[in-house]
Amino acid sequence: MSEIRHIKPAGEAIFKDRFTTKAKELLHPWSEGEKGKFGLVGLPHSKPSISHSGASLAPNAIRHAMLSYSTFSGEAERELTDRILDFGDVYMDPTDIIGNHHRLYEALSDVYHTEAAENWILLGGDHSVSYASIKAISEMHGSIGIIQFDAHHDLRNTEDGGPTNGTPFRRLLEDNIITGDQLVQIGIRDFTNAKAYHEYAKEQDIQVYTMADVKETGMRKILQHQVERLKQTFDSIYVSVDMDVLDQAFAPGCPAIGPGGMDSYTLLEGIHYLAACKEVKAMDIVEIDPTVDIRNMTSRVAAYVILQFMKGKS
Amino acid sequence: MSEIRHIKPAGEAIFKDRFTTKAKELLHPWSEGEKGKFGLVGLPHSKPSISHSGASLAPNAIRHAMLSYSTFSGEAERELTDRILDFGDVYMDPTDIIGNHHRLYEALSDVYHTEAAENWILLGGDHSVSYASIKAISEMHGSIGIIQFDAHHDLRNTEDGGPTNGTPFRRLLEDNIITGDQLVQIGIRDFTNAKAYHEYAKEQDIQVYTMADVKETGMRKILQHQVERLKQTFDSIYVSVDMDVLDQAFAPGCPAIGPGGMDSYTLLEGIHYLAACKEVKAMDIVEIDPTVDIRNMTSRVAAYVILQFMKGKS
Amino acid sequence: MSEIRHIKPAGEAIFKDRFTTKAKELLHPWSEGEKGKFGLVGLPHSKPSISHSGASLAPNAIRHAMLSYSTFSGEAERELTDRILDFGDVYMDPTDIIGNHHRLYEALSDVYHTEAAENWILLGGDHSVSYASIKAISEMHGSIGIIQFDAHHDLRNTEDGGPTNGTPFRRLLEDNIITGDQLVQIGIRDFTNAKAYHEYAKEQDIQVYTMADVKETGMRKILQHQVERLKQTFDSIYVSVDMDVLDQAFAPGCPAIGPGGMDSYTLLEGIHYLAACKEVKAMDIVEIDPTVDIRNMTSRVAAYVILQFMKGKS
Amino acid sequence: MSEIRHIKPAGEAIFKDRFTTKAKELLHPWSEGEKGKFGLVGLPHSKPSISHSGASLAPNAIRHAMLSYSTFSGEAERELTDRILDFGDVYMDPTDIIGNHHRLYEALSDVYHTEAAENWILLGGDHSVSYASIKAISEMHGSIGIIQFDAHHDLRNTEDGGPTNGTPFRRLLEDNIITGDQLVQIGIRDFTNAKAYHEYAKEQDIQVYTMADVKETGMRKILQHQVERLKQTFDSIYVSVDMDVLDQAFAPGCPAIGPGGMDSYTLLEGIHYLAACKEVKAMDIVEIDPTVDIRNMTSRVAAYVILQFMKGKS
Amino acid sequence: MSEIRHIKPAGEAIFKDRFTTKAKELLHPWSEGEKGKFGLVGLPHSKPSISHSGASLAPNAIRHAMLSYSTFSGEAERELTDRILDFGDVYMDPTDIIGNHHRLYEALSDVYHTEAAENWILLGGDHSVSYASIKAISEMHGSIGIIQFDAHHDLRNTEDGGPTNGTPFRRLLEDNIITGDQLVQIGIRDFTNAKAYHEYAKEQDIQVYTMADVKETGMRKILQHQVERLKQTFDSIYVSVDMDVLDQAFAPGCPAIGPGGMDSYTLLEGIHYLAACKEVKAMDIVEIDPTVDIRNMTSRVAAYVILQFMKGKS
Amino acid sequence: MSEIRHIKPAGEAIFKDRFTTKAKELLHPWSEGEKGKFGLVGLPHSKPSISHSGASLAPNAIRHAMLSYSTFSGEAERELTDRILDFGDVYMDPTDIIGNHHRLYEALSDVYHTEAAENWILLGGDHSVSYASIKAISEMHGSIGIIQFDAHHDLRNTEDGGPTNGTPFRRLLEDNIITGDQLVQIGIRDFTNAKAYHEYAKEQDIQVYTMADVKETGMRKILQHQVERLKQTFDSIYVSVDMDVLDQAFAPGCPAIGPGGMDSYTLLEGIHYLAACKEVKAMDIVEIDPTVDIRNMTSRVAAYVILQFMKGKS
Ligand SMILES: [Ca+2]
Ligand SMILES: [Ca+2]
Ligand SMILES: [Ca+2]
Ligand SMILES: [Ca+2]
Ligand SMILES: [Ca+2]
Ligand SMILES: [Ca+2]
Ligand SMILES: [Ca+2]
Ligand SMILES: [Ca+2]
Ligand SMILES: [Ca+2]
Ligand SMILES: [Ca+2]
Ligand SMILES: [Ca+2]
Ligand SMILES: [Ca+2]
């Protein structure tokens, strides 16, 4: 187009500072055979949600939010230069929900078996997607430790409503993919879970930290203790970030919002700490519904979580 | 509670003009054995939708919108006094979409077989619910005529994505529940349907009226002609109102909005005309997503459509 | 309705986890003669507000928000099982504001005299409702201590504009229902009150804690000191929660929002502490306008305040 | 401020095309003794409304919307040059609603007795303000004809809830300020009024035109007939524009919105026709709630109604 | 990626009906040397606007809205198959507005000189972009006729504020690029233009049709007459669509919205008629601000205008 | 207007508590020759912004937000009584951006040379306005220290896009108006700046504090240290508050929002501390876009910042 002056391709950001790399530029469609430090897969599944959820729109909202960030951490004086190999989104059939759970599992199995990436970033979707992801990764790597940030246990019985976003960890336990001591839950909130599931968590020996525990003990100390414990048994740790662990002021775009939650600074610190552990090899981010979000604030937090994760790994 | 002054039950409208009946007061939970002129069922199914839809929230949004209306038509000088027997909503499993289609069919079969009502009002949900409703009513009454108000043919192939909101009439044809000449489509819009489905409609001998036809020929004349034709073969006529037949200015809360559509006055006139035909025995209203609506405008149109229907029957 | 399959009553939440009790299920309409631990009354009065306010819609918004919570506190390992006896809302005449103040007083007098509940929860409405409530309760129990969370003194003169939401505590003082030393104000904010009322507060010996005091001294320590002081003179303590004590980030739906306020965690801790004192027998929650709220966040905080209150009492 | 370059007074529109007069510039605060063609008074009263209403904010919203218009009609090739003498807003006490009705009456009596303007424009507020306005003007000018554009009769009984926005014309009749034949109601909508009030209108010999009448007979013909009839008995005609006569697509900011109403072009034509009658001497515009409006669309219609009125008078 | 199951490229619409072509798929980035029936250029310039405008975001919003449409017209029984060669957007410097006007002119000169397309579609931006476009096309084709749909004359003097969106046609006249008889203005609205510019239009012999003219004479008849007249002198006709010619109910996302405008059906008919004239060779669409639009309604109208234009040319 | 009862001038707040002074009442249009403690100028320039910004609307939004505050600090037990001399807004040409930068500089030079105020408050606009302000004040007072609260360095190269809101401090350095050691940047955020500018900052010896530094070291300690350092060399300190230094939960109305930022309490404390230093003589507040703000929250923070500044000076 050399002879036409001033024209740029449609849809691309028209202003370009020559010294700035946008974090989104790190995303590259994966081509067969390629290997790298980070791989990313979108899991746009939210029809299993108990309440109406548009979380299927989150993977693109989060990718788009990465446009708002640069690749440079001044605090660490480090430039992120590793590409994120973007495997795209798993295809979701409009009407076959159970089939979609299986599709997620098959797709992620194939993805993980490519061994294309050292670290995986999975973008939900609602929390039901973690079942497929953890099942696939466990078959690949053997038993793993799991650190779940969440206001909820997600241990509901599966007879009422099937494999919803309230059941992923229950199903992992019932299908013997994990045992309770593999699972750490941080940020569990009062009046947000039924007694039966609190007791189930205790019976199963799940390690539970309420918001009061986080306030009293501190995020750093909890993570140190639990990572140490998990490392003794497991080679890999999987981090599952349900964004509703944050207070509604900091994550207004989750389906289940409420007060008394975590602030975003504390979560970001936690992610940074975890990423610095070499055992942490995968992280999912779930339960963001862009259709009810305000100025995409919650997707922006998610993009920042990804960058903290990458900073910890650099 | 007689000795406490000024207290009213919580949640009820606190102001009451003694001479005004709200249209919503016509709704009464049905009790076994009861019979009446109107029966209503909520079909809160929208997970089959191709694009993200909250139409499952519409049945209650529409019931609630009936609170905004009185029971009196000044134009007809007639008071609506017949109760609407409210059968409630069909239970939808959070994860079993195909099972939900079957549940809709079973529930509506049972409902229609009660013969509790002379006329039925069905509140979607997305347009996929019409399949179950028309199948159930056809088994009960034999072949019926169908008048569908819609910007879309809803004749998509069923291999791509299963029984979505784009396929109900295709599935009725392929399952031999109806033949094409039973179906009249009014308000079909340019650049809103694929050529393949336009041609399929012609092959199947479906009677199609575009928005241009509505503008040129007039709603009244189209309906006179088609009702006359259908009456010669069928005892019953079923009306299916996809609210996106309206222009986006009049129905801002449909998932698929656009310009160049019908104004609400024309639709309301059409419904009134049809209701006055004794062969018209059921009407569904679909494709309203309260989560994207503006001041519940689209649910208000739906409530008004119900009242026009009842006025025509009185 | 046994022979019809899959049908549920209209408008009720269709998904039900058999092990979860929603906090809203604790609400039961009071029947004469019933007694219990908690009683609740809605005070939907906001026409006295100086600026345009929809706080009259808050009682139902808060009741509705209780649907988002369960009845179980994992932190206290305690299930809330006590019913909340719901006395409904006080009838408000559309045009007779002064009469409405009187109606509130009469209704609450009658309510308190039923002695149906050990603890009372009152849902405004704007802050003007506290006058009626405190007057009625004082006549019943004798002098009481009052702990008011608020950004404002609410001690405006009553000549300018009558008994508005800016005057309840002034009127209580002028009508000799309380003296200043009975009243503790916490969270008073800079540039949010006139000098005249600051000085009036000092003259009347009201105990005032600004936001700076809360930051420096800490909520817990302030409450310990003041509860101790009040207990020496009064048998009962009344808590009045004006939600605008919170920073606008945490309570975006108050009429008078602003920066520099309390975070919700601090308020929730305070309520929990107070509820654990047996002298605290009533609490009102006021100044939430659901028409300007964002995703009902502020009503959600209110529902959580109620649950903390109940947890403290269990 | 001559030596400082580029500074303009704060808050004034900074761009100025030297050839354009904004319609708002026609507004001038009235000074005692001044006379002119148009007088305007704001009546910011909406606390009498049955449902929650922010119509008290409309007078300024409408004045502000006049900033969007020029003073020139290309269709009439006429420049509006007459000042609008702005008398300001009537003071409304925050808590004394009945007193406010009286204040409106006293203020408007005083205003009309100044004889400062040939034509009066009154900006509500809810429809309850018309009572005071018509009472005051009738005492001044003797019996008058009234043309009311409205979806509602506004003839509710006054025992239920006092002098609300549903009762102004009932109260005028019961207080013998008008008789039914003085009143013409245009745009009355189905299912929006109780039967009792339809019958009351007939008994009182009020001239009622439904939306169906408007569609069939045409606005122009209705007005010709009724103006002719009213002129034979009355020297003055008063026009009362309840903006909810418009369909919700055209007036999204009224408290009581709905489908099946008038389009704005038809209303504007009607106002222009009426203004051209010399007997028409006053017009009120009511029931706009800027807090629920979308991009001030409804206030923009109101400003346009004022300009059509002035064009008709020029 | 063949061995990984179910994965689709990120960000692409995941559901695909094999028989449906989305209108957006007709857009193809232009490569040097390519020729075709339609060329499209984005002109993202809105900083010249008198009032704050985000119209620079419209080219992509309109392209995106084409995703909502298919390529098939049932009314014409015609499939659109011609590609739209998308030249991208002209680069706009963040601070050099006058330079940007020049850049638009240079870029469009170059674009038009490629002779790559038979028909051009230009997407603003605000109306100031039409100056550059018409200047460039006139230099290429000689004098042309112009049909402008607009509520405004856009003939403001250029001393006050420079080359804003209020001046494009004035500047074309003053720079002798066109004479007044070349210009037809349709939809000019009362109280939306200054008298001085009405008179300037008359002096310059511009053909002006107000909204009243459109209502009385009809769109079709106006266009027939003017196209006939223009064809006698000019080989080419340029259509300029300022979306604010529509009533605010139909185009809520224009910076200058108001009542009393055109409905979308009338505009779409007009565009279809014009496109069928072989002399019409270019069309711009301007004054859509996606940041204030509601559900992208106004961009959807624009996309539909493009499709009507293409249908007329097929 | 003495003989008309109840009438108030249009547009003024109708309710008035006789003891309350609104902070906005401190604003008085400056008249030549007047002197005082505070002067204020609006700098409504946002067209230089890299991304679409409505910050030009902020000066009036902030002035308006001062209506929400009183003049009294209970914490300091001090009434603000000093007038703010309001110089109005600098005139901005709609199309001449570079000229506008120059206009800002000329206007502020003139303003500062009046020596009318001891302390200056400047309301942007985007951050590009600080260049003109600091240039003008430096020419007046000699070299000054600058404390910038910001998530960004604002040190972009000026070849790409000219003098945007990303370049003011770069341009001050390149034009030798300041040297790097004069500049302190507080609140710089990770992944929000390019590496090149981090390094440029270090080379230039700019004092940079990241958000992690603020969390670890504390605002108070950072300011003590830097103010001490600056005082040794410079007589004057200029404070530049880019509101996006706050977390998106606290300042939702900035163009560039994100998580991990400062809370409003910390910023307000910092401003109060700085204002108490006599060397601090001017403060600008920039990067608030009222068109994307939520309930004017961000403008409310700005108004509060002004009051803290004044409190520190009293
Ligand atoms: Ca979860
Ligand atoms: Ca959760
Ligand atoms: Ca359909
Ligand atoms: Ca449809
Ligand atoms: Ca208060
Ligand atoms: Ca308060
Ligand atoms: Ca009315
Ligand atoms: Ca009305
Ligand atoms: Ca224009
Ligand atoms: Ca225009
Ligand atoms: Ca900055
Ligand atoms: Ca910044």
Side-chain angles (χ1 to χ4, degrees), chain E residues 51 60 69 111 133 140 151 176 178 212 214 234 259 263 269 272 310 314:
Chain E
S51 58
N60 278 330
Y69 296 107
V111 166
S133 177
M140 176 83 181
N176 298 315
I178 61 167
V214 173
F234 309 111
D263 61 76
E269 263 191 320
H272 186 210
M310 294 176 74
S314 302

Side-chain angles (χ1 to χ4, degrees), chain B residues 22-35:
Chain B
K22 302 279 190 194
K24 198 181 176 184
E25 297 176 40
L26 299 177
L27 289 172
H28 287 272
W30 176 74
S31 314
E32 217 175 328
E34 247 185 319
K35 305 236 169 211

Side-chain angles (χ1 to χ4, degrees), chain B:
Chain B
M1 216 185 297
S2 58
E3 58 184 338
I4 301 186
R5 290 157 287 178
H6 316 307
I7 288 274
K8 287 279 167 90
E12 294 190 12
I14 250 167
F15 179 80
K16 177 69 190 152
D17 175 313
R18 71 191 70 177
F19 298 110
T20 301
T21 322
K22 302 279 190 194
K24 198 181 176 184
E25 297 176 40
L26 299 177
L27 289 172
H28 287 272
W30 176 74
S31 314
E32 217 175 328
E34 247 185 319
K35 305 236 169 211
K37 203 156 191 173
F38 301 102
L40 181 147
V41 193
L43 314 175
H45 200 26
S46 58
K47 286 186 180 177
S49 285
I50 296 169
S51 58
H52 177 65
S53 167
S56 60
L57 307 171
N60 278 330
I62 298 169
R63 283 183 184 102
H64 185 74
M66 294 184 73
L67 213 53
S68 306
Y69 296 107
S70 75
T71 50
F72 180 70
S73 163
E75 295 184 1
E77 300 206 300
R78 203 173 306 141
E79 176 86 1
L80 302 182
T81 51
D82 293 290
R83 290 173 155 214
I84 306 172
L85 305 174
D86 189 345
F87 281 69
D89 293 335
V90 179
Y91 170 76
M92 296 284 96
D93 185 274
T95 58
D96 177 21
I97 288 184
I98 305 299
N100 285 340
H101 278 307
H102 199 64
R103 258 173 221 106
L104 287 172
Y105 160 71
E106 289 183 338
L108 288 172
S109 283
D110 292 358
V111 165
Y112 293 145
H113 277 90
T114 61
E115 297 193 349
E118 293 166 37
N119 303 284
W120 294 102
I121 297 161
L122 299 319
L123 305 181
D126 66 31
H127 218 154
S128 74
V129 305
S130 298
Y131 173 87
S133 177
I134 291 171
K135 183 178 174 191
I137 212 164
S138 296
E139 290 174 359
M140 175 84 183
H141 289 291
S143 282
I144 58 172
I146 301 166
I147 292 177
Q148 170 193 0
F149 295 94
D150 205 330
H152 308 86
H153 289 299
D154 290 357
L155 296 169
R156 287 174 186 275
N157 78 84
T158 49
E159 290 94 64
D160 297 333
T164 66
N165 62 336
T167 64
F169 298 98
R170 177 70 167 256
R171 291 171 62 227
L172 287 169
L173 288 158
E174 293 188 348
D175 295 357
N176 297 315
I177 298 166
I178 62 168
T179 55
D181 61 317
Q182 284 174 259
L183 181 57
V184 182
Q185 300 189 319
I186 300 174
I188 297 300
R189 226 177 288 174
D190 258 23
F191 302 115
T192 307
N193 297 280
K195 186 183 183 188
Y197 303 127
H198 171 83
E199 283 171 359
Y200 180 83
K202 275 168 65 178
E203 284 161 28
Q204 298 290 326
D205 204 20
I206 296 168
Q207 307 292 301
V208 174
Y209 294 85
T210 65
M211 270 311 298
D213 296 328
V214 174
K215 285 273 178 183
E216 280 161 39
T217 311
M219 177 62 80
R220 173 68 65 104
K221 221 163 143 191
I222 291 171
L223 292 178
Q224 272 173 332
H225 173 67
Q226 288 293 340
V227 166
E228 209 50 53
R229 185 182 69 82
L230 291 170
K231 277 162 70 168
Q232 287 165 8
T233 324
F234 309 111
D235 291 340
S236 295
I237 295 175
Y238 183 102
V239 179
S240 184
V241 183
D242 182 334
M243 208 54 94
D244 69 18
V245 76
L246 295 180
D247 192 281
Q248 60 189 0
F250 296 95
C254 294
I257 56 172
M262 208 175 278
D263 61 76
S264 54
Y265 201 88
T266 302
L267 175 64
L268 291 166
E269 263 191 319
I271 299 300
H272 186 209
Y273 177 86
L274 285 171
C277 306
K278 69 175 192 312
E279 290 79 9
V280 171
K281 299 210 177 106
M283 171 179 70
D284 65 40
I285 304 175
V286 298
E287 297 288 334
I288 295 170
D289 179 349
T291 69
V292 298
D293 204 2
I294 295 164
R295 294 198 68 200
N296 297 318
M297 281 185 187
T298 316
S299 296
R300 288 173 203 252
V301 181
Y304 220 67
V305 162
I306 293 174
L307 292 169
Q308 291 296 327
F309 183 79
M310 293 175 74
K311 182 171 81 172
K313 290 290 177 212
S314 303

Side-chain angles (χ1 to χ4, degrees), chain C residues 39-297:
Chain C
L40 180 148
V41 193
L43 315 175
H45 200 27
S46 59
K47 287 188 178 175
S49 285
I50 294 169
S51 59
H52 177 67
S53 167
S56 58
L57 306 171
N60 278 330
I62 298 167
R63 284 184 183 101
H64 185 76
M66 295 184 73
L67 213 53
S68 306
Y69 296 106
S70 75
T71 50
F72 180 70
S73 163
E75 295 183 1
E77 301 206 300
R78 202 174 307 141
E79 175 86 3
L80 303 182
T81 52
D82 293 292
R83 291 175 156 214
I84 307 172
L85 304 173
D86 189 344
F87 282 69
D89 293 335
V90 179
Y91 171 76
M92 295 284 98
D93 185 274
T95 59
D96 176 22
I97 288 184
I98 304 302
N100 285 339
H101 277 308
H102 200 64
R103 257 173 222 108
L104 288 172
Y105 160 70
E106 289 183 338
L108 288 172
S109 283
D110 292 358
V111 165
Y112 293 145
H113 276 91
T114 62
E115 297 192 351
E118 293 167 37
N119 302 285
W120 294 101
I121 298 162
L122 298 319
L123 304 181
D126 65 33
H127 219 154
S128 74
V129 305
S130 298
Y131 174 87
S133 176
I134 291 170
K135 181 178 175 192
I137 212 163
S138 296
E139 290 175 358
M140 176 83 183
H141 290 291
S143 281
I144 59 174
I146 301 166
I147 292 179
Q148 171 194 359
F149 294 95
D150 205 332
H152 309 86
H153 289 298
D154 290 356
L155 296 169
R156 287 175 187 274
N157 78 85
T158 49
E159 290 95 64
D160 297 331
T164 67
N165 62 335
T167 63
F169 298 98
R170 178 69 167 257
R171 290 170 62 225
L172 288 167
L173 289 158
E174 293 189 349
D175 295 355
N176 297 315
I177 299 166
I178 63 169
T179 56
D181 61 319
Q182 285 174 259
L183 180 59
V184 183
Q185 300 189 319
I186 301 173
I188 297 299
R189 226 177 287 173
D190 256 24
F191 301 115
T192 308
N193 297 279
K195 186 184 184 188
Y197 303 127
H198 171 83
E199 284 172 358
Y200 179 85
K202 277 168 63 176
E203 285 160 26
Q204 299 289 326
D205 204 21
I206 296 167
Q207 306 292 301
V208 174
Y209 294 86
T210 66
M211 270 311 299
D213 295 328
V214 174
K215 286 273 178 184
E216 279 160 40
T217 311
M219 176 63 80
R220 173 68 66 106
K221 221 163 144 192
I222 291 171
L223 292 178
Q224 273 173 332
H225 174 66
Q226 288 295 338
V227 166
E228 211 49 54
R229 185 183 69 82
L230 291 170
K231 277 162 70 168
Q232 288 166 5
T233 325
F234 309 110
D235 293 338
S236 295
I237 295 176
Y238 183 101
V239 179
S240 184
V241 183
D242 182 333
M243 207 53 95
D244 67 20
V245 77
L246 295 180
D247 191 281
Q248 59 189 1
F250 296 95
C254 294
I257 57 173
M262 207 176 277
D263 61 76
S264 53
Y265 201 88
T266 303
L267 175 64
L268 292 165
E269 263 192 319
I271 299 298
H272 186 210
Y273 177 86
L274 286 171
C277 306
K278 69 175 193 309
E279 290 79 8
V280 170
K281 299 210 176 105
M283 170 178 70
D284 63 42
I285 304 175
V286 298
E287 296 289 332
I288 295 170
D289 179 350
T291 69
V292 298
D293 203 2
I294 293 165
R295 295 198 68 199
N296 297 319
M297 282 185 184

